[in-house]
Structure formats: structure tokens, C-alpha cells
Amino acid sequence: MRFERREQRSLLLLVGAPFAAIVVALALSGILIAIAGAPVLEAYRRILIGAFGSRLSATETLTRATPLMLTGLAAAVAFRARLWNIGAEGQFYLGALAVAAFGSQLLAGLPGPILIPVLLVIGALAGMVLILIPLWLRLRFSVDEVVTSLLMNFIAVLIVSMLVDGILKDPLAFGWPQSQSVADHAMLPKLVSRSRLHIGLAIAVVLAFIIAFVQSRTVFGLQSRAAGLNPQGAVFAGVPLSRTLFKVACLSGGLAGLAGAIEVMGVRGYVTTDLSPGFGYSGIVVAMLANLNPVGVIFAALFTAIMFVGADGMSRSLGIPTYIADVTVALSLLTMVVALFFTQYRVRR
Amino acid sequence: MSTLIDILASAGLWAAILRIATPLIFGTLGALLSERAGVLNLGIEGVMTFGAMIGWLAVYNGVDLWTGILVAACAGALFGALHALLTVTLGLSQHVCGLGVTLFASSFSYYVFRLAVPVAGTPPTIIPFQPLEIPVLSSLPFLGQAVFTQTAPTYLAIAIALVMAYVLFRTPVGLAVRMAGENPHAAEAQGVNPMKVRYGAVIVGSALMAVGGAFLTLSAFNSFFPTMVQGRGWICIALVVFSSWRPGRALFGALLFAFFDAFQLRLQTVVEGVPYQIFLMTPYILSIAALAIMARRARVPQALMQPYRRGER
């Protein structure tokens, strides 16, 4: 048995493959649910109800999808240029931390319409700073950025832990290590009243479309794709490789930092070391599920959010551990890369 | 200054070094073997987590400690087979698949653990490996306390490092592994099937990683809790680069790393006014520094991360 490259790919295959991947992932998780002794279809029905059954749960799902879209975009733009930024988790935390630091004290005097955009930029800049270290190590010492950007995640969370228990600690938090809250007028406006859903969702969706445009219609988009497809070839074609990677890194780190900033300004108001339930890592899955397509990221983030929010409700009623959501999402990443492989290759005996 | 000397002169420090190094030795050797054959296995973090969980769970359910280690090794081998299927047979991106395996293996570990062990106030425990009494050696002054108070898996880790160094550089099997990682086309021409060699290396490597994880729950601690692997897998990947893909240096690197880790743990208790998080950061900063220093000089296996497809160049 061997694999042979497909000369042409049918539309049905291209559209059907991602859906087939999700179905297979859900079927595999179904086996795990069955082993746990719960009715499988009923479990999935309850996941859907948990994610969309009421106005509250639907807005919760969209609120959860917002940071996932941004970290998903962060991974998608980086991976497209073969820049393996696995550090979105740490960049998310630094963005959140920067917003908490500037939004609670230093800049809290500014009026809301100025303060909010300034804080969003500060959050993005904080994320950028963190990715520039692995990037510099790659360009200067040719160190693979996968491990360095991963290790930066642990360092970033420790920095957060140190500051929320130190100079940023909220004295009114009954001794809990928690940062001071950002000023009330620094909080993002709500998108839907009486819910947690904030305009961060709109920002994420708009950014996805802007990035899609940049990637398909600008010189930078072409250069970043070229840098990913064939670095040597790109250099011969006149692509400034280091500068392109620098821009890609800034974009990627900035998006992840922005995700952290928006999570603080939209939902929590303050930072703790459990602000993120792995948004940075889930972003990698979101990007891969979308096949690195920025608009696809929106839908992949929704799928992931549905699984996470829905599994909470399902877990309470059926007694299946909520970790089933993480398992399903991770499995769908693996089935997706296999499905994408079979859109490019066919099996020959 | 005198406190520094006190720390260095305490047998406890040296005993701790070997204890801290053991999971790193297993993990680094596993990653090293796999990379020597040309396959980067970023599944390591998840495989270590799964090994820690399943080994502990097996012992908790009544099997003896060595069977627990064996169960972990078999589970690790299965994840290795999955990674090999994706990266060797299908030739998919080793980065992406490795991360996928890590995410899957760690969330699957937590799922199984939660199903098997209901939430309790205090986590359930097992009786872990006890220090091995070695006649004569263990009763030596200082040295006995510092070096010869380890549990059996620690000695096993050191033995495996030596065996791997011998096998890689002195046997036909080792030559086949290195050929698959340096030039699979040449290996094929010599009648060695690089696909099979890669499968073998990834599977055995993953088994070693899982044993490293199991050491955490069966010897270093006596219970399992989520996120207990704490990035040790990623540190192992860094140590492989540090070691220039040589088992002997991997052993040395893991010990050196453990020395700094054990040292900072003791320094935390005597240095005042420095937040403890600074100390906790040192292992990660050291790993990054080690990568920066060694990456240029390291001789990377030439076909690392390159999928091999027969008849394709």
C-alpha cells in the first residue's frame, strides 16, 4: 500500500473532509462516553443544549469562543509562515497582566473612549514582547522556537503569579492572589445586555476578516506564505526572511496578547493565575481545525467553545468528567490532519 | 557563603539530584532515540502524563510496582505507535502531530483518572518504591547517603542510558537507527527499511517517556494529580539538543539540570526577600539558555523532521 498525490481535488472532498474529521472525532469520544456508562447520543444532545439551550448558555458559548478566535488566529498566522509559536498561552497572560497593571492605576484617569483602545494596544504589545524572545533565539542562534516558546509559557504564568501576589495584588481580595481590577470605564461594552457577551466578539470576527484579506491580497501575506512553504526559495525570490518572520511574530504575539487583554476587559476585570483554561493551547487546535484559514478560525472556535461550554452542563447531569471536551477537541485535531492528508493523497495498492 | 557550602555539603542535596534527574533521564533518552531515527516526538509531555496516571492507577488497583511500570511502558508504546502512524506512515507534520498527541494523551489521562477515582478531599495514595539497600555501598559514610539511597528505577534509568549509548554506536541496530535519521534513502539502499526502524524507535522511545512519567507517581510521589508533569517533557526535548543527541551527555545534562533544580529548591528556604516564583522560573530559563548555547554546535540528525516516502525525493 502506498500513497499517491492527487492530481485534482474534488470540491466534495475539500468540503467533506473537515466534517468527516469532526464526525470521526465525535464517534471516538462517543466510545469513551459509552465506556463511562452514559448514553452517547443523549450526552451529545445535552452538550448542544448546554451550549445553546437558553439565551444565557448561547451568550456564554459566544463569550468563550472570543478568546479562542484570537488565540486561534495567533496560531494560524504564525503556522502559515512555519513559525511555531506555541507560546500563545504565555502571551495571553502577559497581555492580561499589562492591561491589569495599566488599567487599574496608571492610566485609569483617561476617559473610556481613549482608555479602551490604548489598553488593547498595550495588551497586544505585551504579547509581542514575549514572542520576540523565541524569535530572536531562532534568528540569532537557530534555536527551534517550539520548545522555547513553550517554556516561555511557564515563565509567563510565574511572572503573573509573582505580580498578582506582589505589587499588583488587590488588597481587598481577602488575601487571594488576585490583581487589582481595571477601572469600570475600561471594561468593554456589552454586546447583549444582561449577559457576559461583550464587543470583544465583534473585534475578533472583524480581525479574522482583516487577516484573511491581508493574507490573500497583500505583499506581506504573500511573503509570509512563501516563508512557510519554502524558506530558501523565498530568499531567492527576494523575500526578506527575517523581517517577514519578525512581522509575523508581532502579529501572532499581538493577537494572543490581545486575547488576554480582551478577556480581562470583557469578562473578569482582574487577573489570576487561572484566568485561562488553556486558551493558548486550544488556539493551536482551533487553527489546525480551520486548516489555518482565518475565517475558518471563527467556526473552529465556535465548535471548540460549544464542546467546552456544553460539556459543563452535560457533565453535571450525566456525571461524565468535563475532560471529555478536551479529549474530543484534541481528537478532532488529529482526525483533521489525517483528513487533510487524504484530500491531498490517495491510497494505491 | 557558608550557607551555600552547607547546602552543597548536605547528602540530601545529592540524593535529591538523582531523584529529580530520573524522570528527565527516561524522557530525554526516549526523545533522543526517536530523534536519532529522524522523528521529533512532541507527544512527550502528554505521554509522560499518561504514564504517570496509568502506572499509578494500575498499582492503586492492586498490581505490584514493577507491573505498574510495565503498564505505563505499554501505554506509552501505544501512543508511540499512534505518533508513528501519523508521522511515518502518513508523513504528516511532526510538530502538529506531536502537539496533538500531547493534548490528546494529557486530556485522556485526566478523563480516565476522573472516571476511575471519584473526587475526594485528599487524593488517594499508594505505597511507592522504597530506597534500595545496597550491601556495603549504602552504608558508606556520606556517599551512602548521597548516592546509594535511590529507588530501583533510578538505577534502571542510568543503566538504560549506558545501554543506549552502546547500542546506538556499537551495534548494527544502532547503525540502522542512525541511518534512518541521517539519510533514510541510503539506509534503504543498504537493505534497511527506514519506516520500520522509525516505527521501532518512536515506539520504544515513547515507552521510555511513559516510564519517566510513571516514576513521578510510583517513586517520587505517591499520588497522581493533573498538570503534575509541569513541563518536564518539554525540558527533555531541550535536553536532547543540549546532549547533541548522545545518550551519555543526555545523562550528564539531566544530572546537571537536576543539580540546579535541587540547589534552587534549597536556596529558596535560606534566601529571604526574593519571591519564590523567581526560583521556580530557573529550570525553564536554564533550559532556554542551554538551547541557545548548544543549538549552533549541536549536530542535528540530518533527516530529522523529514518524512520518508519511498520513491520520492
Side-chain angles (χ1 to χ4, degrees):
Chain A
M1 188 184 80
R2 59 199 199 86
F3 302 106
E4 183 184 83
R5 212 171 246 286
R6 287 177 196 270
E7 295 300 325
Q8 52 202 11
R9 291 180 257 168
S10 71
L11 193 64
L12 181 71
L13 195 65
L14 287 178
V15 177
F19 286 99
I22 302 269
V23 169
V24 172
L26 289 174
L28 290 171
S29 311
I31 297 174
L32 297 180
I33 294 174
I35 289 173
V40 177
L41 289 178
E42 175 65 11
Y44 283 127
R45 199 176 67 84
R46 295 209 183 186
I47 286 181
L48 281 180
I49 293 176
F52 284 120
S54 65
R55 182 177 173 281
L56 177 71
S57 55
T59 55
E60 269 309 296
T61 302
L62 291 171
T63 309
R64 181 69 82 96
T66 303
L68 289 172
M69 284 179 198
L70 290 166
T71 53
L73 287 171
V77 295
F79 288 9
R80 178 159 287 230
R82 291 281 159 83
L83 178 76
W84 299 103
N85 175 16
I86 317 295
E89 185 81 3
Q91 292 142 25
F92 176 98
Y93 269 110
L94 275 207
L97 192 66
V99 162
F102 284 92
S104 60
Q105 296 282 326
L106 295 170
L107 299 177
L110 293 174
I114 300 173
L115 179 58
I116 287 177
V118 167
L119 285 181
L120 292 178
V121 170
I122 288 175
L125 285 174
M128 282 179 207
V129 170
L130 197 65
I131 174 122
L132 289 181
I133 300 168
L135 180 76
W136 178 72
L137 289 171
R138 167 171 163 174
L139 295 178
R140 177 77 178 72
F141 299 103
S142 44
V143 181
D144 187 25
E145 70 277 13
V146 172
V147 184
T148 45
S149 64
L150 257 168
L151 291 170
M152 299 296 293
N153 289 341
F154 294 91
I155 297 174
V157 173
L158 285 168
I159 292 174
V160 172
S161 160
M162 183 167 75
L163 294 187
V164 300
D165 208 8
I167 53 170
L168 289 180
K169 185 170 184 169
D170 185 354
L172 303 177
F174 305 105
W176 286 108
Q178 160 181 329
S179 81
Q180 296 170 30
S181 296
V182 297
D184 282 341
H185 61 281
M187 293 297 281
L188 296 173
K190 293 278 178 263
L191 211 53
V192 176
S193 61
R194 289 183 295 115
S195 77
R196 302 206 298 171
L197 188 58
H198 50 85
I199 60 157
L201 178 68
I203 297 177
V205 171
V206 169
L207 279 174
F209 280 98
I210 293 177
I211 290 168
F213 176 81
V214 167
Q215 283 191 340
S216 59
R217 292 281 182 276
T218 66
V219 174
F220 165 67
L222 179 74
Q223 289 180 337
S224 72
R225 206 145 31 111
L229 287 174
N230 184 345
Q232 279 100 13
V235 170
F236 281 122
V239 173
L241 194 60
S242 304
R243 205 186 309 162
T244 305
L245 285 177
F246 175 77
K247 285 186 209 163
V248 168
C250 286
L251 184 58
S252 174
L255 284 163
L258 188 65
I262 284 180
E263 190 65 6
V264 169
M265 294 162 66
V267 181
R268 278 285 196 90
Y270 56 86
V271 179
T272 56
T273 49
D274 61 357
L275 178 68
S276 160
F279 283 134
Y281 301 107
S282 304
I284 298 164
V285 184
V286 167
M288 294 311 300
L289 287 182
N291 196 17
L292 308 188
N293 179 319
V295 177
V297 162
I298 299 173
F299 298 99
L302 276 176
F303 165 74
T304 310
I306 290 169
M307 284 310 301
F308 281 124
V309 175
D312 274 346
M314 187 274 290
S315 162
R316 272 193 298 275
S317 53
L318 290 182
I320 302 291
T322 50
Y323 290 118
I324 193 69
D326 301 82
V327 174
T328 312
V329 167
L331 276 174
S332 51
L333 163 69
L334 293 174
T335 54
M336 188 64 76
V337 287
V338 173
L340 292 173
F341 172 80
F342 283 109
T343 63
Q344 291 178 345
Y345 288 86
R346 73 169 106 226
V347 182
R348 263 295 159 84
R349 264 163 233 294
Chain B
M1 196 60 213
S2 65
T3 47
L4 284 188
I5 293 168
D6 281 349
I7 292 174
L8 287 176
S10 72
L13 174 82
W14 299 95
I17 290 171
L18 278 165
R19 191 170 59 240
I20 293 170
T22 304
L24 299 175
I25 297 171
F26 278 117
T28 309
L29 290 175
L32 186 149
L33 180 64
S34 170
E35 288 182 34
R36 269 287 180 185
V39 181
L40 174 70
N41 190 353
L42 293 180
I44 181 167
E45 181 83 7
V47 171
M48 285 182 86
T49 308
F50 198 85
M53 189 282 298
I54 202 74
W56 180 88
L57 194 61
V59 174
Y60 182 62
N61 280 305
V63 309
D64 67 286
L65 289 160
W66 283 109
T67 314
I69 296 270
L70 190 68
V71 167
C74 293
L78 283 178
F79 281 108
L82 172 66
H83 187 64
L85 176 72
L86 296 168
T87 57
V88 178
T89 305
L90 300 182
L92 297 168
S93 159
Q94 298 182 2
H95 280 128
V96 173
C97 295
L99 291 168
V101 169
T102 277
L103 291 171
F104 171 57
S106 38
S107 51
F108 189 42
S109 313
Y110 306 153
Y111 180 76
V112 173
F113 180 69
R114 262 291 147 266
L115 270 187
V117 183
V119 183
T122 51
T125 55
I126 52 140
I127 300 166
F129 279 102
Q130 301 300 314
L132 207 59
E133 280 293 327
I134 301 175
V136 188
L137 291 178
S138 291
S139 51
L140 288 175
F142 189 78
L143 216 55
Q145 285 291 311
V147 182
F148 297 105
T149 52
Q150 302 301 320
T151 60
T154 299
Y155 301 114
L156 178 68
I158 295 168
I160 290 178
L162 301 178
V163 169
M164 195 184 284
Y166 177 80
V167 170
L168 266 183
F169 297 106
R170 295 277 181 278
T171 65
V173 178
L175 185 64
V177 169
R178 286 184 291 134
M179 276 208 288
E182 296 288 342
N183 191 337
H185 295 280
E188 179 93 80
Q190 292 286 319
V192 171
N193 183 341
M195 308 281 250
K196 279 189 184 157
V197 173
R198 286 183 169 187
Y199 257 89
V202 175
I203 288 173
V204 174
S206 291
L208 286 174
M209 295 168 186
V211 172
F215 179 84
L216 292 174
T217 47
L218 299 183
S219 180
F221 308 108
N222 55 7
S223 60
F224 175 82
F225 53 92
T227 73
M228 73 184 303
V229 176
Q230 280 281 322
R232 285 189 180 83
W234 311 127
I235 288 170
C236 290
I237 297 287
L239 282 173
V240 174
V241 179
F242 178 78
S243 74
S244 265
W245 289 267
R246 288 171 168 276
R249 284 195 211 169
L251 181 62
F252 169 72
L255 288 170
L256 185 69
F257 184 90
F259 165 77
F260 283 115
D261 206 21
F263 190 64
Q264 64 90 6
L265 274 171
R266 278 157 182 76
L267 215 54
Q268 264 181 57
T269 57
V270 293
V271 178
E272 282 170 26
V274 180
Y276 69 93
Q277 290 94 342
I278 297 277
F279 290 103
L280 291 184
M281 271 178 223
T282 48
Y284 307 112
I285 295 173
L286 278 174
S287 305
I288 293 174
L291 280 174
I293 294 165
M294 296 304 292
R296 272 273 168 85
R297 259 180 281 168
R299 246 193 47 58
V300 188
Q302 289 299 300
L304 181 61
M305 289 191 265
Q306 286 171 13
Y308 176 72
R309 291 205 180 89
R310 199 165 290 163
E312 256 182 48
R313 286 186 142 293

